[in-house]
Amino acid sequence: MIRLSFYLIRNVLIGFAAAALLLLPLFTTFDLIAELDDVTSGGYRWTQAVEVVLMTLPRRAVDLGPFIALLGGITGLGQLALTQELTAMRAAGVSIMRIAVTTMAAGLIVVVALGAMDEWLASPLQQHSVQLRNTALAISGEAAKPTGSIWARRGNEVARIGAMSRHNTPLNVEILRLTSDMRLASYIFADSAEVRPDGSWLLHHPRIKEWEQDNEVTREEDQMLWNSVFSDRRLKELSLPTDSFSIQQLRHYIAFLNGSDQPSGEYQMAMWQKLGRPILTLAMILFAVPFTFVQQRSPGLGGRLAIGAVVGLLIYVANQIVANLGLLLNGNVIITTLAPSFVLLALALWLVYRFDRAA
């Protein structure tokens, strides 16, 4: 029986590999086409575009993990069904539940591999690719896609960075200082800032407005030292897309946002989506079992793969809608992010149990 389990795991893993070899080149081609649209003669070269796409390949593999799990499970088990090997297993007394549990064992191998890839390979490579791309676009005079302003708060002081240069220099820095009754006491705008080794910032050409007893005082200085609410490491992380953060980076940054009284829902959702992805992947693997043990009048392997692709897409869209609605309506991020995955896992287990009882 152990040898049979290893044989089943091997075939399911081969199915995962076949699904990955089908999906990754397809989506990588789409990514390359999108990157080539930004190629210029003087800055962002086509070789850099290819390098960026290759560096984001692990991230693409992690994002496609649930799809690879579903289609790979259908492929691996479906191939065994076509060769009547599953029929022979069933005749030898192997239950559908046992086949599902063995398939889950293969899925655990994939889940652990994808989790390690996400934390220690995909995130660093994606962050490096973003920096490479932004630097090349800045050299060519093209602006990178805007990532939005960067805000921070410390007590009654609120700071905003309008943009980051290609050398991670803060640009268009605004500092608002409030009184105890939340009225504006002073406003500072600087064209740029230099981050000093001790963590303080040297503001260049700051323009300062102060209000005292309804009197406005305006002055300009060449330089001004400011005890920044940002750290240099946090500043580099803030200029990166949320999905490029590792779980450890997300935990640290969420603590930073909570400590400075800023909303952290978007980053909490990203962290819990990463933590919930293994549950979703295992649910997708279990869904492959009912796709295999259907009636003979049902579609063949090609039809099952097509249906599986549609089901996977619908599940992905529904999962994103629920998570973002929860964020929009200020719901519990943990529940809205993890609940769909656990519901799908429970549904997959129920379907497997139903097929096992009906067999």
Side-chain angles (χ1 to χ4, degrees):
M1 192 64 69
I2 295 178
R3 182 176 298 179
L4 186 62
S5 297
F6 277 113
Y7 178 75
L8 187 58
I9 290 173
R10 189 194 71 176
N11 279 274
V12 173
L13 290 176
I14 291 174
F16 292 154
L21 290 174
L22 171 66
L23 293 175
L24 286 179
L26 179 64
F27 282 87
T28 300
T29 301
F30 294 152
D31 292 338
L32 181 59
I33 292 173
E35 290 297 326
L36 290 177
D37 289 338
D38 295 326
V39 169
T40 59
S41 58
Y44 191 42
R45 303 184 302 273
W46 70 268
T47 54
Q48 291 175 314
V50 172
E51 185 179 357
V52 166
V53 170
L54 291 177
M55 284 192 291
T56 56
L57 187 58
R59 169 61 58 204
R60 180 60 68 187
V62 171
D63 291 341
L64 291 174
F67 287 98
I68 292 174
L70 178 59
L71 297 184
I74 294 174
T75 301
L77 295 177
Q79 187 61 35
L80 292 175
L82 288 177
T83 57
Q84 302 299 316
E85 290 176 269
L86 281 184
T87 303
M89 292 181 191
R90 295 285 294 115
V94 180
S95 66
I96 293 178
M97 184 63 71
R98 177 62 184 269
I99 293 173
V101 171
T102 306
T103 304
M104 286 279 286
L108 286 174
I109 298 174
V110 175
V111 164
V112 171
L114 289 176
M117 182 188 296
D118 186 10
E119 188 72 9
W120 293 297
L121 182 63
S123 293
L125 283 179
Q126 185 181 3
Q127 292 171 11
H128 183 66
S129 70
V130 170
Q131 294 170 352
L132 172 66
R133 185 179 188 276
N134 290 344
T135 300
L137 288 174
I139 292 175
S140 65
E142 298 285 341
K145 293 181 179 179
T147 57
S149 301
I150 303 173
W151 292 84
R153 179 180 177 180
R154 181 181 55 198
N156 288 343
E157 186 177 63
V158 180
R160 172 186 174 272
I161 302 173
M164 296 291 295
S165 73
R166 62 188 178 95
H167 298 299
N168 283 322
T169 299
L171 304 175
N172 301 328
V173 180
E174 294 180 282
I175 305 167
L176 295 87
R177 290 171 178 157
L178 308 174
T179 62
S180 57
D181 57 356
M182 303 308 290
R183 291 189 300 172
L184 187 62
S186 66
Y187 170 79
I188 303 172
F189 178 85
D191 296 328
S192 62
E194 175 188 344
V195 182
R196 295 160 61 95
D198 61 357
S200 62
W201 287 20
L202 189 63
L203 305 178
H204 297 295
H205 309 293
R207 294 178 285 280
I208 307 165
K209 290 184 178 181
E210 296 177 324
W211 289 268
E212 296 181 1
Q213 297 179 352
D214 296 329
N215 294 324
E216 180 180 312
V217 179
T218 303
R219 70 179 190 274
E220 295 185 12
E221 298 183 7
D222 291 334
Q223 293 180 333
M224 177 180 175
L225 198 62
W226 175 51
N227 184 20
S228 173
V229 299
F230 301 101
S231 68
D232 184 43
R233 183 175 67 87
R234 290 282 183 270
L235 198 59
K236 292 178 180 178
E237 292 178 355
L238 286 173
S239 60
L240 296 170
T242 308
D243 64 344
S244 70
F245 284 25
S246 65
I247 293 177
Q248 184 177 9
Q249 287 175 320
L250 285 169
R251 286 179 58 251
H252 290 162
Y253 187 48
I254 289 169
F256 166 74
L257 291 176
N258 292 336
S260 57
D261 295 326
Q262 297 183 78
S264 60
E266 178 184 356
Y267 295 90
Q268 289 188 40
M269 185 180 73
M271 184 181 72
W272 286 107
Q273 281 183 328
K274 285 178 179 287
L275 293 174
R277 187 177 289 126
I279 306 299
L280 180 60
T281 303
L282 292 176
M284 292 294 224
I285 292 171
L286 274 181
F287 270 116
V289 177
F291 273 104
T292 303
F293 292 98
V294 291
Q295 297 179 357
Q296 296 297 323
R297 293 177 297 175
S298 300
L301 180 58
R304 294 171 193 169
L305 286 173
I307 297 173
V310 173
V311 170
L313 180 60
L314 291 176
I315 289 175
Y316 172 79
V317 172
N319 194 34
Q320 292 297 313
I321 289 175
V322 172
N324 285 280
L325 274 178
L327 183 63
L328 182 64
L329 300 176
N330 293 323
N332 189 297
V333 176
I334 300 177
I335 294 177
T336 57
T337 305
L338 295 183
S341 298
F342 280 105
V343 169
L344 289 171
L345 181 61
L347 178 60
L349 286 171
W350 178 77
L351 287 174
V352 170
Y353 174 76
R354 181 181 175 184
F355 271 81
D356 186 58
R357 292 294 299 268

